[in-house]
Amino acid sequence: MNKLKAAIIGCGAIYRNHADALVDSQFAELKLVVDINEERAKQAAQDYNCIYSTDFYKVLEDKTIDVIHLCTPHYLHGVMAKAAMKSGKHVFTEKPMSISTKEAKEMIKDSKEYNRHLAVCFQNRYNNTSVKAKEILEGGSLGSIKGVKGFVTWYRDENYYTESGWRGSFSTEGGGVLINQSIHTIDLIQWLAGGITRVKANVDTRKLDKVIEVEDTADATFVFNNGSHGIYYATNCYSTNSPVEIEIHCEKGMIQLKDEQLYVTIDGKTELVASDKIGNNKYKSYWGLSHSIHINNFYRGVIEDNSEYYVTGEEGIKTLEIIEAIYRSSAGHRWINL
Ligand SMILES: NC(=O)c1ccc[n+]([C@@H]2O[C@H](COP(=O)([O-])OP(=O)(O)OC[C@H]3O[C@@H](n4cnc5c(N)ncnc54)[C@H](O)[C@@H]3O)[C@@H](O)[C@H]2O)c1
């Protein structure tokens, strides 16, 4: 089988998760890496035995490239995805798909107009624990959902923001702890519990208010499609990156996702039913291990022209809509309907 040829744009902290997934994929081959920082691009090309460029738009002229991976700062995802699809490339973008729902909608429209596949990197949906949690909830053994809890308590210091050219400002990052760190947890909550219809929330910059304009802390109350409520808290102001906690309280029991393990409690008995802990994780543990699965699924989806294999733009925008509702709710001190 002829493998699809990929280019990765942006060779910063996350690109290796994409490059390693491509090296391991039976469907894809990494042909090119791009970074405006030539040293980074050169090093990445050397590490992955491919060619490099510093010019994204020039790469779009290369007819042999089938897929563009966007590992660039948030504000570039929308504009780069649209240009790539217009040039005939399929796009696998890192989260968030854009910094605005308006642009995200245009991306979805472009993917239809140019008949290109568009995926958003919510890789944690493919974690063992997430897949099992979804299966249990949909299986119905726990009854309907009564409440949901999501906690993200992480640590980002001043240097994390000042050493980056794009983090910490609305125009380039699009937000703070919501759109960058805890976006995966909002996505998992809304996906597992079947969609959010209403939001009341607060956002604030508590610790780094002299350094960043975006929020470092947010809390929200959600109403889900089935009428149940959810509570959510996210902060970058803790002293370490604690494991994310998600709890789903159901009529007949409870699901708890914590410390990369999934526990189910039913009739007072708690059992470990799935785990994402493996001995040899070379990436940051809180990024999860599922980039490879999601990326390989995406290529299969492109080859079979079936978007059910991956997280589509239509799925990716849901979390962005919730985040925008959180900002609007906080600004207006009121409930927002989605
Ligand atoms: N899915 C996850 O779990 C996860 C984890 C970390 C980061 N991310 C996402 O990955 C993306 C990148 O994050 P990062 O931490 O790697 O950022 P980074 O700042 O470390 O890397 C970004 C790279 O993009 C390059 N770049 C900037 N403008 C460019 C342009 N016009 N053309 C080509 N290259 C350009 C920069 O030089 C830099 O090397 C973000 O969207 C981030 O939210 C996702």
Side-chain angles (χ1 to χ4, degrees), residues 26-176:
Q26 69 267 45
F27 304 122
E29 176 186 332
L30 177 58
K31 185 175 173 199
L32 220 157
V33 286
V34 183
D35 203 296
I36 43 168
N37 177 327
E38 188 167 5
E39 277 312 301
R40 279 191 191 176
K42 209 177 196 171
Q43 185 64 51
Q46 206 174 313
D47 291 352
Y48 287 94
N49 196 23
C50 63
I51 50 175
Y52 79 88
S53 167
T54 53
D55 187 343
F56 166 70
Y57 289 96
K58 203 134 199 99
V59 167
L60 295 186
E61 292 167 13
D62 182 342
K63 296 274 180 272
T64 67
I65 299 290
D66 303 296
V67 178
I68 295 286
H69 287 244
L70 295 176
C71 298
T72 43
H74 297 174
Y75 71 104
L76 293 171
H77 295 176
V79 70
M80 285 182 158
K82 284 160 67 56
M85 290 188 284
K86 199 172 174 186
S87 307
K89 320 292 186 205
H90 305 287
V91 172
F92 187 98
T93 180
E94 265 299 347
K95 44 52 80 167
M97 64 189 288
S98 160
I99 58 173
S100 80
T101 52
K102 182 173 175 281
E103 188 178 53
K105 282 179 192 156
E106 290 170 16
M107 292 160 78
I108 294 167
K109 194 166 149 270
D110 286 353
S111 79
K112 291 194 176 19
E113 188 175 332
Y114 301 114
N115 196 21
R116 298 293 86 187
H117 287 266
L118 168 66
V120 182
C121 192
F122 283 128
Q123 78 278 2
N124 290 329
R125 288 195 191 188
Y126 297 91
N127 294 350
N128 292 330
T129 50
S130 310
V131 171
K132 188 73 185 169
K134 183 85 169 158
E135 184 190 304
I136 292 169
L137 291 166
E138 288 184 350
S141 58
L142 293 179
S144 63
I145 293 171
K146 293 177 76 177
V148 179
K149 183 171 98 177
F151 276 18
V152 183
T153 53
W154 283 3
Y155 171 71
R156 293 292 180 274
D157 63 8
E158 198 171 324
N159 292 342
Y160 171 80
Y161 289 102
T162 52
E163 286 169 6
S164 152
W166 60 276
R167 295 188 186 94
S169 96
F170 279 109
S171 64
T172 48
E173 192 178 14

Side-chain angles (χ1 to χ4, degrees), residues 204-323:
D204 197 4
T205 315
R206 303 256 166 92
K207 202 170 154 202
L208 295 175
D209 53 333
K210 305 269 185 305
V211 184
I212 57 176
E213 62 178 20
V214 298
E215 81 289 344
D216 59 19
T217 303
D219 76 76
T221 305
F222 299 134
V223 180
F224 293 90
N225 273 322
N226 78 343
S228 63
H229 280 69
I231 55 165
Y232 176 78
Y233 177 75
T235 186
N236 277 342
C237 300
Y238 192 42
S239 47
T240 186
N241 295 310
S242 272
V244 168
E245 284 182 47
I246 295 177
E247 189 171 283
I248 304 184
H249 172 215
C250 303
E251 282 173 319
K252 298 179 194 162
M254 184 176 277
I255 274 186
Q256 287 170 305
L257 251 157
K258 56 182 179 185
D259 200 17
E260 298 163 54
Q261 316 264 38
L262 178 71
Y263 300 90
V264 173
T265 305
I266 193 157
D267 294 332
K269 275 199 209 108
T270 302
E271 224 187 304
L272 174 67
V273 294
S275 175
D276 296 315
K277 276 189 194 286
I278 59 153
N280 182 23
N281 180 7
K282 57 185 168 176
Y283 310 115
K284 289 183 184 165
S285 64
Y286 53 80
W287 288 349
L289 289 162
S290 300
H291 268 88
S292 276
I293 302 172
H294 191 197
I295 288 169
N296 212 39
N297 284 1
F298 173 69
Y299 280 84
R300 186 169 174 194
V302 173
I303 287 167
E304 296 182 18
D305 196 21
N306 184 350
S307 61
E308 282 175 17
Y309 287 113
Y310 59 85
V311 181
T312 58
E314 285 90 341
E315 277 295 302
I317 199 173
K318 289 180 183 170
T319 303
L320 214 50
E321 284 168 343
I322 295 162
I323 290 170

